[in-house]
Amino acid sequence: MPDFDIYEKIYKYLIPFIPESIVEKSGGYFFEILSKFSSSPKLNAKNPLFIGDLRIDLPVGLSAGWADTVQKMVNIYELGAGFVTSKTITLHPRKGNPRPRIIRGPNYLINSMGLPNPGVLRWKKQLIDHPPNFPWIQSIYGENFEEYAKIIEHLESHVHVFEINFSCPNLAHDIPDIPLAVKQIKEISSITKKPIIVKLSPQNTPKGNLEIIKKTHGYITGVTLINTVPVPAQTLGNPRKRGGLSGSIVFNELIRHLEIVRKYFPSQEELIIIATGGIDSEEKAYFIASKFDVAISTLTGFLMKGPKIFYLLSKGYLKAEEVKNPFRIKVEKKQSIETSN
C-alpha cells in the first residue's frame, strides 16, 4: 500500500488553518492528483454483493456527502474504494447552509453542509458525458413526492441503485416521522424499477428505524445505517445552530441500530445493510462485518485519514468474510408486498 500517512499530517496541521471555502473547493483536485500518482491495491471479496443488477466485488466504499462530480467518484474508486455513493442530488441546485459549516475535533466532525449540490440536470449531464464504469450508488433527496418523481425521471436510465436520503439533519425542517417516512418510501418505490436503499437517521430510535424497515420491506432492497447524529453547535452558520456529528465517536450508536435490525433481519439475504458511522479501523471493520453481515461505508474516516482508510477497512472486511465462510449476500431484485402476499 502506498504511504498515505502524510495526508493525516496535512489534515491535522494544515487544513484547520485554511479557509473552509478553499478546503471545500480544492479537495477534489487534491484527490484527483493523488489518484494519478498513487493507488491502493484493489482487494476483492470472495463473494460479491449484488444489489439488483449492480455487482460490488468489494463491499467497502464511500458514503454519500462528498462526491459531487463524476470525476471525484472515479478518483475515490481508483484510490481503493470498492463502491462510491454520490453526493445527495436534489431537483434544483443548492448552495447549502451558511458558513462556517464544519467543526473539526480530534476524533469527530460536526457538519452543517445542507446538501450543496449541482442539481439533477447538471448531474445528469455529467452522467451522460462521463458514465461511470464502476460500482456506484445514486443518493437523492426531494422535498416532496413530486420532486422525487422528477429526480427519478431524469436519472432512472443512468443509475443502478437509488439511495433515498431520509436522514439529513442539516435542513430547515426535521426528518419525516415514521408514518410519513413509510408513506413516502412506498410512493417512491412505485415510480422506479431500480432497487432502493433508504438512509435512516439516528434521530429515530433503533426500534423506530426497525418499524420503518418492517413496514416497507418488499418495497426496499436495503438500508444505510446510520446518518450523522444531530447535535447543537452554536458556532455553525446555519440558523438552527445544529449539525451532524460523525466519526469514531458515533460507533456505539451504529452498533445499537445494527443489533436491533439484525435480530429481525439476520443477514444480507433478508435485508442489505450498508453500515456507516465511526468505522475507521481494520479492527472495527472486522467486528462490524463479522457480527452483523453488512457492507461497510465511510466518509468521515476518509476525510480524516485519507485514502488508506479503504485499504484498512477492506482488510477487516475480508477477515470477517473468512469467519462467516461464506457471507450470504446475494439479494434478488425487490418484490412488492402485494406480490409476496
Side-chain angles (χ1 to χ4, degrees), residues 6-282:
I6 189 173
Y7 176 87
E8 288 189 78
K9 293 182 175 62
I10 291 173
Y11 179 86
K12 184 176 181 179
Y13 297 111
L14 181 59
I15 287 181
F17 302 100
I18 301 175
E20 187 178 286
S21 59
I22 294 176
V23 173
E24 288 181 21
K25 292 177 181 178
S26 61
Y29 298 113
F30 174 81
F31 287 111
E32 182 174 0
I33 294 170
L34 193 61
S35 69
K36 294 184 185 305
F37 293 98
S38 302
S39 62
S40 290
K42 189 68 70 174
L43 305 175
N44 289 333
K46 289 184 177 180
N47 299 281
L49 172 66
F50 289 89
I51 310 177
D53 63 1
L54 178 67
R55 173 178 173 140
I56 302 176
D57 289 321
L58 175 64
V60 174
L62 183 76
S63 306
W66 187 80
D68 58 358
T69 68
V70 171
Q71 185 59 55
K72 282 185 179 180
M73 294 202 299
V74 171
N75 298 339
I76 295 305
Y77 184 72
E78 290 178 346
L79 286 168
F83 69 94
V84 181
T85 305
S86 76
K87 194 171 184 66
T88 299
I89 299 298
T90 56
L91 181 61
H92 304 293
R94 291 176 65 102
K95 292 183 178 180
N97 286 329
R99 295 187 177 93
R101 51 193 188 187
I102 293 287
I103 298 173
R104 294 180 176 85
N107 64 344
Y108 67 86
L109 290 177
I110 300 173
N111 92 82
S112 175
M113 298 302 292
L115 302 183
N117 74 95
V120 71
L121 292 180
R122 289 167 60 188
W123 179 251
K124 178 182 177 181
K125 185 177 187 307
Q126 289 190 53
L127 296 179
I128 292 172
D129 293 344
H130 307 285
N133 61 352
F134 52 85
W136 70 287
I137 295 171
Q138 175 67 65
S139 177
I140 63 173
Y141 168 79
E143 293 283 345
N144 49 51
F145 173 71
E146 289 72 23
E147 287 198 2
Y148 275 114
K150 291 177 182 178
I151 295 168
I152 289 172
E153 181 182 3
H154 281 294
L155 298 180
E156 179 84 0
S157 62
H158 304 287
V159 309
H160 294 280
V161 178
F162 285 112
E163 180 185 81
I164 311 300
N165 187 350
F166 268 20
S167 51
C168 179
N170 296 317
L171 301 174
H173 51 77
D174 286 325
I175 63 171
D177 60 23
I178 291 174
L180 180 57
V182 170
K183 176 178 180 290
Q184 290 181 336
I185 290 168
K186 291 180 178 180
E187 289 175 340
I188 294 167
S189 175
S190 71
I191 58 173
T192 177
K193 296 181 180 179
K194 305 297 184 181
I196 291 175
I197 304 289
V198 178
K199 190 169 190 178
L200 294 173
S201 172
Q203 289 180 257
N204 297 320
T205 65
K207 290 184 178 179
N209 277 333
L210 177 60
E211 182 180 348
I212 293 173
I213 296 167
K214 289 166 65 176
K215 289 182 176 179
T216 58
H217 193 241
Y219 292 92
I220 65 174
T221 299
V223 294
T224 298
L225 294 173
I226 54 177
N227 208 329
T228 55
V229 178
V231 293
Q234 293 301 312
T235 59
L236 292 173
N238 73 79
R240 303 184 76 183
K241 300 300 179 184
R242 186 176 80 168
L245 177 68
S246 61
S248 61
I249 196 170
V250 304
F251 184 67
N252 288 337
E253 182 69 15
L254 169 64
I255 292 173
R256 289 179 61 236
H257 286 261
L258 291 175
E259 285 178 336
I260 294 296
V261 174
R262 271 294 182 240
K263 284 181 181 178
Y264 198 90
F265 299 97
S267 75
Q268 297 284 63
E269 279 187 324
E270 287 79 20
L271 178 78
I272 288 178
I273 295 180
I274 301 173
T276 184
I279 311 172
D280 57 3
S281 69
E282 179 180 338

Side-chain angles (χ1 to χ4, degrees), residues 277-290:
I279 311 172
D280 57 3
S281 69
E282 179 180 338
E283 294 74 20
K284 287 181 179 178
Y286 170 78
F287 172 78
I288 286 286
S290 60

